[in-house]
Amino acid sequence: MLKRIQLLSQIIRVRDWAKNIVILLPLIFSGKVLSFKVEQSLEILINISCFLLLTSIVYILNDIKDIPQDALNPHKNKRPIASGEISIAYALVTIICLFSGILINLFLFGFNFLEYYIFYLLNNIIYNFYLKKINIINSLS
């Protein structure tokens, strides 16, 4: 059971969540971070949580797409999906669970940032499946 939790943590890339804190920079630099009410802070935390789940969905989709290339890479071939420790079916169920968590949060707390989530998801899907193959765009990104 502990091994399964560790593998799940690896495929959703919990260790990479810290770099996503960049989404808070506009809030911090606006000077409004200290003037929020408790209910606004909860909304911010819920939306950050949803964004982190969304980034995990993108990581998993990319890992599934890149299985053939990752299997040949001496560093990436140890990733749970590329190595086969996590099946594609398990990865897809994980995506469904993460997406369900996002939807539940959105239904409970409102759809204030839904368009940003959709834009982020579409942007990453288009990049990972199409634009990444174009050298100049890949280099610029």
Side-chain angles (χ1 to χ4, degrees), residues 8-121:
L8 180 61
S9 172
Q10 288 175 9
I11 68 168
I12 65 173
R13 306 229 183 115
V14 172
R15 71 182 184 284
D16 290 342
W17 284 0
K19 71 179 180 185
N20 293 323
I21 210 71
V22 72
I23 64 171
L24 287 177
L25 292 179
L27 180 63
I28 293 167
F29 290 118
S30 72
K32 296 179 181 180
V33 73
L34 298 175
S35 65
F36 281 104
K37 297 176 184 162
V38 172
E39 55 274 356
Q40 291 172 316
S41 299
L42 179 63
E43 181 180 348
I44 291 168
L45 290 173
I46 295 299
N47 281 296
I48 289 170
S49 299
C50 287
F51 183 75
L52 294 175
L53 296 177
L54 195 59
T55 61
S56 291
I57 289 171
V58 170
Y59 288 139
I60 295 170
L61 285 172
N62 190 51
D63 284 351
I64 291 170
K65 181 190 83 55
D66 289 345
I67 289 174
Q69 298 92 329
D70 288 353
L72 300 173
N73 185 305
H75 300 289
K76 294 181 179 181
N77 68 2
K78 294 172 182 59
R79 290 182 177 172
I81 296 173
S83 69
E85 287 184 279
I86 294 284
S87 68
I88 293 174
Y90 186 89
L92 292 173
V93 168
T94 302
I95 289 173
I96 292 168
C97 290
L98 295 173
F99 191 71
S100 298
I102 293 169
L103 288 178
I104 289 169
N105 280 326
L106 291 175
F107 280 117
L108 291 176
F109 299 102
F111 291 91
N112 297 339
F113 293 95
L114 180 62
E115 62 274 7
Y116 298 109
Y117 299 143
I118 292 170
F119 176 76
Y120 176 81
L121 187 60

